[in-house]
Amino acid sequence: MSSRPSLVLVGHGMVGHRLLEALAERGALADPADPAAPGWRVTVLAEEDVPAYDRVHLSSVFTGTAPDRLTLGAPGFLAGHGVDLRLGDPAEHVDTAARTVTTTSGAVVGYDALVLATGSYPFVPPIPGADAPGCFTYRTLYDVEALTAYAEHAGTGVVIGGGLLGLEAAGALRGLGLATHVVEFAPRLMPLQVDDGGAAALRATIESMGVAVHTGVGATEVETGADGRARALRLSDGRRIPAGVVVFSAGVRPRDRLAREAGLAVGDRGGVAVDAHCRTTDPYVYAIGECAQTSDGRVYGLVAPGYQMAEVVADRLAGDGTTEFTGADTSTKLKLLGADVASFGDPFAAGAEATELVFSDGREGVYKKLLLGPDGRLLGGILVGDAEAYGSLKPHAGRRLPAPPEAFILPAAAGGAPLPGAAALPDDAVVCSCHNVTKGAVSAAIADHGLTDVGGVKRCTRAGTGCGGCAGTLQAVLDAAGVEKRRGLCEHFPGLTRPELYERVRTERIRSFTELMERYGSGGADGGPASSGCTVCKPVVANVLGTLAPELGLRHVLEGEQAALQDANDLFLANLQKDGTYSVVPRVPGGEITPEQLIALGETARDHGLYSKVTGGQRIDLFGARKEDLPAIWRRLIAAGFESGQAYGKSLRTVKSCVGARFCRFGQGDSVRLAIDLELRYRGLRAPHKIKGGVSGCLRECAEARGKDIGVIATAGGWNLYVCGNGGATPRHADLLASDLSAAELLALTDRFLMYYLRTGERLERTSAWLERLGGSGDGIAHLREVLVEDSLGIGAELEAQMERHVAAYRDEWRVVLEDPAALARFERHVEGVEFLEPGRGRAAVLPDGTEAALFKDAEGAVYAVGNRDPYSGADVIADGIMGRRDGVPVVASPMHKQEFDLRTGASLDDPEVALPLLPVPEVPSAGRG
């Protein structure tokens, strides 16, 4: 090899760029600063006019990610290694005899080695109208930009192809506001990744989001209008789908034209034929990625196998190279239209060699299947709707599982056990398929470099920087390595838990978030303004201040700076729904309601166009209320005798009851009266998590009291009090705290129980989890009896007195807002200008060009503007999220699912696929301007 041999790389996609990085890591690229140093002089011939970008996350551009954020490689990487990147000048002809490549511009480039990384092209079925305006493919940034612009004038879109890319495209159309259809020729969605059961669960989830799915049918024609544009898609069964946009995502074909014309061997079904070293039939020419047919006869369409091929070729070009590519793991974990989908190993293993273990829950859209060999080895599996176990299962493909297979797929309520941790993985288990990183390599990096988080592991090992599906496993390896997690609440309270914050606020009578931060807070990673807080500590402190309001003399949860601490539900005193509207739930104590109140609810729902539903807590929920209409709805309900049911807060929700001794022939106690008394006593009580109650009039338990945080059952001797039960995904029967109580004794003991929970519960800890932390049905309930019944700490009277102060101070939160013009102003749909912004709180505004922006002002007065549309739900709600700081970065958390976005750039800090568009900040009107 000469000191400066020439390498020509045809194609600068993800795989081609990975080859350059792998060569650099091996010191095999020329150093432009040292002409005498050995190394390859590289010329890259790229078809697109932009450098390599992350095509895996291409769909994120539809949700606001700036295209340049997808760019691969560190700034200066190419120049630093002397790489000659020629954008927009692809290879046109290869002369293997002369070892030259001619480009479309006519340039001729010689080579000592040539690597073809030309990828694939989308297959467009040869049907009439396929080339009409309105028809698109979905592979490049240009495709995304063109589709986005065209979709502004279309109402309906159809995607032809229900595979991985097709469903991504369907999600993009839905995000663009189009009514969306998916047409798949196979009898099920994602036929290459999931089986019939998995596809059925996936289909149910997708259809529940409003996407129409048509399987087992093909497309025969794109109908066009008089203007020549697409207007409908005709199907093979005769049906017609009106559509202004048609996206072809029906598979890809290897781009092997250059190889064919150069006389290199290609596969029968396409793809440049290569050996185990990724070398073609010409020893000076290699092929990698989707354009290659590998030695196992396959063409791989995933990025992970392409990266492995790049490593093999880099080894060859850097030296003798003994590594080989003879096949790849095609495991995948994706989120498509909000549904988790994963497959690993051989998900279609069949016959006598495979035993199937299946869990299916059609109501929740969950399907899980494991395939086991006769010797117990895990052959493969499919996970749809819940892929939490993927990180534990995938590394064990081909091995025996470290726990019963049922533990990996059954929910806890059905007998599932906690998933085995990373300690159960052998060191040679591959945890990141994209970059072929083993658990041993991650563990070594943690030990050698003192890594403490997933971000550090990614930077050090590249694990998790491909598809991102292994992030959970990387965290598990960190946990197994004994990396200590933060004890405190967040970076702003690194040494204090919620109970400790509660005690400081209570005993020192701290009345504001700012005061608490000044005494005990930290500025966070940036050392910046402590008053900024974050999206974790702000709602917790708001909750604590709400709980202790009677002790501190605070009037309302939205008074003063408390409004800037609240999550959207508590800010607007209603439950945010997936479309950005709210539900309104008035209190119906014990389920008792008058005919006049029923009529008032019906008339209110009718006049405001609300959907009404009877809840499991014996109330009536009104759905679909716009934020700006909430005060008007409350006025009508208050006039009918209702008040806030506080279904939005971490507080008492309901106390459910049966009819009890009033009507039931088996009733032993007046369960309705007691339920009303309990609900009216504890209404408005803010807690670490929501609280539910139930009162049954006899042991038949019709009110399901033992599935509640507070459960009461009438007996011949009085009332039995059960505590710390819950329903939901992990149901738990409540434990008996005391029996045969009088009504007065019951109330006093319940006072003590709730106040003790408020003092000692952790953030978002239900009473059931709290009891388990205290020791469960053994030591835990014994501890509660000692503290609450026997008063071993001597605080019983104090807890009861604190509850009495809460009862005396209660005011209906809806009514208080209606009496406060400043609080009412927050319900206006749009703010008129930045001068109306409150520090730490967002407001929606309409910019001069008609764009709806979310405006935020921080504690120092800096104003930020981003798009108001949540990228995941499509609802215009970002302005209602909590503003704070994370690692020194000003962020807003979406009120939908709490993803955080950098307000300076719009980038998601949790998901590299997603970003909010940055918008211009409106000018503040000068003095004297109207």
Side-chain angles (χ1 to χ4, degrees), residues 65-219:
T65 296
D68 58 5
R69 291 189 60 82
L70 299 184
T71 301
L72 297 176
F77 170 80
L78 298 177
H81 291 92
V83 176
D84 178 13
L85 174 61
R86 304 186 184 184
L87 298 174
D89 193 17
E92 184 63 31
H93 175 71
V94 174
D95 185 337
T96 56
R99 293 190 206 165
T100 60
V101 179
T102 303
T103 71
T104 53
S105 69
V108 178
V109 185
Y111 66 82
D112 294 292
L114 170 66
V115 178
L116 301 177
T118 49
S120 60
Y121 64 92
F123 170 70
V124 176
I127 60 174
D131 58 350
C135 294
F136 298 87
T137 55
Y138 173 54
R139 293 286 287 173
T140 68
L141 279 172
Y142 173 79
D143 293 336
V144 172
E145 293 168 359
L147 178 55
T148 301
Y150 195 91
E152 292 182 2
H153 309 290
T156 302
V158 179
V159 178
I160 299 176
L164 190 159
L165 286 177
L167 295 184
E168 276 197 359
L173 293 185
R174 181 175 176 272
L176 291 172
L178 275 64
T180 305
H181 296 252
V182 175
V183 175
E184 168 57 49
F185 183 74
R188 64 174 186 264
L189 295 173
M190 294 190 72
L192 300 181
Q193 285 83 24
V194 301
D195 61 5
D196 289 343
L202 178 61
R203 178 172 185 158
T205 299
I206 291 173
E207 289 182 330
S208 72
M209 301 178 71
V211 176
V213 177
H214 314 267
T215 54
V217 65

Side-chain angles (χ1 to χ4, degrees), residues 332-410:
T332 55
K333 179 175 181 288
L334 310 157
K335 185 177 285 289
L336 300 169
L337 286 164
D340 287 320
V341 180
S343 64
F344 55 90
D346 181 0
F348 301 108
E353 296 299 310
T355 299
E356 293 186 359
L357 188 66
V358 176
F359 170 79
S360 179
D361 184 349
R363 296 170 304 175
E364 299 296 328
V366 173
Y367 175 86
K368 306 177 187 181
K369 182 175 83 169
L370 301 183
L371 292 158
L372 305 174
D375 57 355
R377 288 182 305 110
L378 178 64
L379 302 179
I382 295 168
L383 306 171
V384 176
D386 176 8
E388 180 184 358
Y390 175 80
S392 299
L393 288 165
K394 176 185 164 294
H396 283 104
R399 309 171 188 265
R400 294 180 64 88
L401 289 170
E406 293 86 353
F408 293 87
I409 62 172
L410 290 178

Side-chain angles (χ1 to χ4, degrees), residues 83 99 170 212 228 243 254 324 356 360 479 528 558 629 650 853:
V83 176
R99 293 190 206 165
E324 296 183 343
E356 293 186 359
S360 179
D479 295 342
L558 300 182
D629 292 338
K650 301 295 184 285

